[in-house]
Amino acid sequence: MSDLTRLTAVEIAGLVAGGETSAVEVTRAHLDRIAAVDDRVHAFLHVDTEGALAAARAVDERRAAGEELGPLAGVPVAVKDVLTTKGVPTTVGSKILEGWRPPYDATIVQRLREAGTVMLGKTNMDEFAMGSSTEYSAYGPTRNPWDTDRIPGGSGGGSAAALAAYEAPLSIGSDTGGSIRQPGAVTGTVGAKPTYGGTSRYGLVAFSSSLDTPGPCARTVLDAALLHQVIGGHDPRDSTSIPAPVPDVVAAAKLGATGDLTGVRLGVVSEFTGEGAEPGVMAAFRESVDTLAKLGAEIVEVSCPHFKYALPAYYLIAPSECSSNLARFDGVRFGLRVGDDGNRSLEEVMSLTREAGFGPEVKRRIMIGTYALSSGYYDAYYGQAQKVRTLITRDFTAAFERVDALISPTTPFVAFPLGARTSDPYQMYLADLFTIPTNLYGGPGISVPCGLSDGLPVGLQVMAPTMADDRMYRVAAALESVVGTFTPPAL
Ligand code: GLN
């Protein structure tokens, strides 16, 4: 059998279903690959060798018994450490949850298990999903397989790097402001943020609850669509889950792969002029726009005048929600507890625990959020940001009256060197210039590789109306049919 780690999820599932390989063999190949390269990449915080092999054996037994297997049965998947996994460590990249083994599975994890996928382990991330480089992980950074001196994006850098390093064919991320799409862009992989509420947040450790959206990551658009189909859909355990079926993203990806976009209208946002973006990124984007036009798409310029306020609005809303969500990490209920020597008050123990357990970026966000929500400032900051959010939503609504989807570069710059942006938080925040509007609106967005700049991958973003996730898969698959998938230089 040729190298199983180079195959797509579709190919692996086909081989397993046809009995040409076993799920155990596939799993072992990926575990061996992790053992061979992850000391250089550090995509994983925890590898669940025993659990993965047991899950793989169960798939092989079901096949032997003649049971019908789902479309992703036997396919390995890596899960961002933001989702709870029963009995398997879940840290959110933070010291405050070190050693915590959740008593339950997130809905997404449960669905992955039911589908017969094989969870390899938990991937590295910026602490509490706050960051754009995975350098804010309390457990050390992940490195980009394209160049291990560069960042793999963030916060889900581990999930993206695991794909690019062929440690897993599929992974799960979460996207609050771009944490699925931006890592996808800088690692030459595909990352999709579903419609908010289209994937369950039950068991997703909360950062900013009105924005957090778990979603699929893969090396091909069709693989991402298949994973989306498995994890998506209504969940009665999540009050913001949308009670409607998942749009047919798999059919859309297959339609797109025919390379015909006749009748599809795509909007280029006129406010995204390229200011603040690298020329090489803009060049790759413009070339892709020409490609999409050649495939039959009609390209229209669309104005979204409030997008320029998205970044400042996000950096009030997200920290505000985080300051409230992270209050639960008090040293009493989960993980770390510091200074509980019998002589200290509850308040002192909480304070010592939070001081030791949270890193500088998380503390910065809690402080900004607490300030923005405090009496006397609420209207000026949080209330104002919410009004801006409404204006951005109106921009999207107006745009989608004219076009089927919007396109932009995913991120203004290619993977930057480790350490280049950690000293200035604002420089780090700029990575999500193009992705944040979609989160504030709640619609879906996907990043698909579109070219190279200085030998490093560039992503194109497709943004669609809420619950029209299928549209973005169609456009992304059409581009992929021309541009192809990306392979980094050998590690
Ligand atoms: N980079 C953004 C932030 O730091 C987005 C993170 C995310 O999507 N989880 O908040």
Side-chain angles (χ1 to χ4, degrees):
M1 181 62 56
S2 64
D3 189 351
L4 292 165
T5 63
R6 298 271 155 168
L7 304 179
T8 65
V10 173
E11 288 163 346
I12 291 173
L15 292 178
V16 170
E20 286 154 82
T21 187
S22 65
V24 167
E25 212 176 324
V26 170
T27 302
R28 280 197 208 285
H30 286 89
L31 291 170
D32 289 349
R33 176 74 183 165
I34 293 170
V37 301
D38 209 49
D39 58 338
R40 276 170 288 157
V41 179
H42 194 222
F44 284 87
L45 290 176
H46 179 82
V47 179
D48 186 18
T49 306
E50 290 313 312
L53 288 169
R57 274 193 293 273
V59 171
D60 290 336
E61 280 160 21
R62 279 173 46 206
R63 187 188 170 274
E67 275 180 49
E68 178 109 22
L69 301 176
L72 291 179
V75 181
V77 56
V79 176
K80 188 177 180 183
D81 209 22
V82 69
L83 286 168
T84 58
T85 41
K86 190 174 178 178
V88 177
T90 300
T91 67
V92 204
S94 179
K95 290 282 178 202
I96 210 151
L97 277 183
E98 193 166 22
W100 185 53
R101 288 177 188 258
Y104 69 106
D105 277 333
T107 295
I108 286 187
V109 172
Q110 190 189 334
R111 288 183 184 174
L112 287 172
R113 293 193 202 280
E114 284 163 4
T117 64
V118 173
M119 192 183 77
L120 295 170
K122 308 295 291 290
T123 58
N124 198 12
M125 56 185 284
D126 287 296
E127 185 176 4
F128 280 96
M130 298 170 195
S132 297
S133 68
T134 317
E135 291 168 294
Y136 296 144
S137 166
Y139 302 96
T142 297
R143 288 162 184 274
N144 192 322
W146 286 77
D147 174 349
T148 51
D149 290 329
R150 289 175 186 269
I151 59 101
S155 63
S159 282
L163 301 172
Y166 297 95
E167 295 171 275
L170 297 175
S171 59
I172 301 290
S174 67
D175 194 309
T176 304
S179 285
I180 288 177
R181 289 163 286 163
Q182 183 258 1
V186 300
T187 58
T189 59
V190 178
K193 173 203 127 41
T195 295
Y196 176 81
T199 41
S200 169
R201 287 186 298 110
Y202 180 76
L204 177 84
V205 179
F207 162 15
S208 179
S209 307
S210 77
L211 301 163
D212 296 341
T213 313
C217 313
R219 288 191 294 263
T220 73
V221 175
L222 180 58
D223 279 2
L226 284 159
L227 186 56
H228 190 142
Q229 194 72 253
V230 161
I231 61 172
H234 183 237
D235 178 11
R237 287 171 155 158
D238 171 359
S239 64
T240 57
S241 170
I242 298 172
V246 186
D248 198 343
V249 291
V250 174
K254 288 180 177 166
L255 176 62
T258 63
D260 184 5
L261 288 178
T262 310
V264 176
R265 284 165 310 163
L266 297 177
V268 176
V269 182
S270 35
E271 283 74 14
F272 287 165
T273 52
E275 196 193 321
E278 287 171 358
V281 167
M282 293 313 289
F285 172 66
R286 285 195 201 99
E287 210 175 299
S288 308
V289 175
D290 291 344
T291 304
L292 292 166
K294 283 196 194 105
L295 296 175
E298 186 191 334
I299 310 291
V300 182
E301 196 167 306
V302 183
S303 172
C304 296
H306 301 96
F307 278 20
K308 57 176 173 290
Y309 306 117
L311 203 65
Y314 172 90
Y315 278 100
L316 286 167
I317 293 169
S320 295
E321 292 186 13
C322 117
S323 71
S324 163
N325 273 325
L326 270 55
R328 63 170 67 87
F329 299 101
D330 52 11
V332 177
R333 283 171 281 197
F334 320 88
L336 190 72
R337 181 180 310 183
V338 176
D340 184 13
D341 59 5
N343 298 317
R344 288 197 172 90
S345 70
L346 180 63
E347 204 149 288
E348 281 174 299
V349 172
M350 274 184 202
S351 161
L352 287 170
T353 301
R354 288 167 70 84
E355 161 67 36
F358 290 137
E361 182 62 22
V362 172
K363 285 178 181 154
R364 179 157 40 234
R365 307 259 183 135
I366 293 173
M367 284 190 281
I368 294 171
T370 309
Y371 181 82
L373 289 178
S374 57
S375 144
Y377 295 102
Y378 182 98
D379 287 336
Y381 296 113
Y382 184 73
Q384 193 68 10
Q386 290 292 14
K387 287 181 193 161
V388 171
R389 187 173 186 176
T390 301
L391 294 174
I392 289 166
T393 298
R394 285 189 194 153
D395 279 359
F396 273 107
T397 312
F400 292 136
E401 276 166 19
R402 297 184 54 207
V403 294
D404 300 303
L406 294 170
I407 50 174
S408 75
T410 305
T411 181
F413 27 82
V414 294
F416 49 86
L418 285 159
R421 287 174 191 259
T422 35
S423 58
D424 182 352
Y426 184 66
Q427 288 303 316
M428 192 70 87
Y429 299 168
L430 286 174
D432 292 319
L433 194 62
F434 301 137
T435 47
I436 281 177
T438 295
N439 295 82
L440 292 173
Y441 157 61
I446 193 169
S447 178
V448 61
C450 76
L452 294 175
S453 168
D454 292 332
L456 293 167
V458 177
L460 175 126
Q461 176 180 222
V462 188
M463 298 167 269
T466 50
M467 287 311 272
D469 304 44
D470 47 340
R471 283 189 207 173
M472 68 179 185
Y473 279 97
R474 180 177 175 193
V475 176
L479 187 66
E480 181 185 65
S481 76
V482 177
V483 177
T485 55
F486 282 40
T487 307
L491 267 175

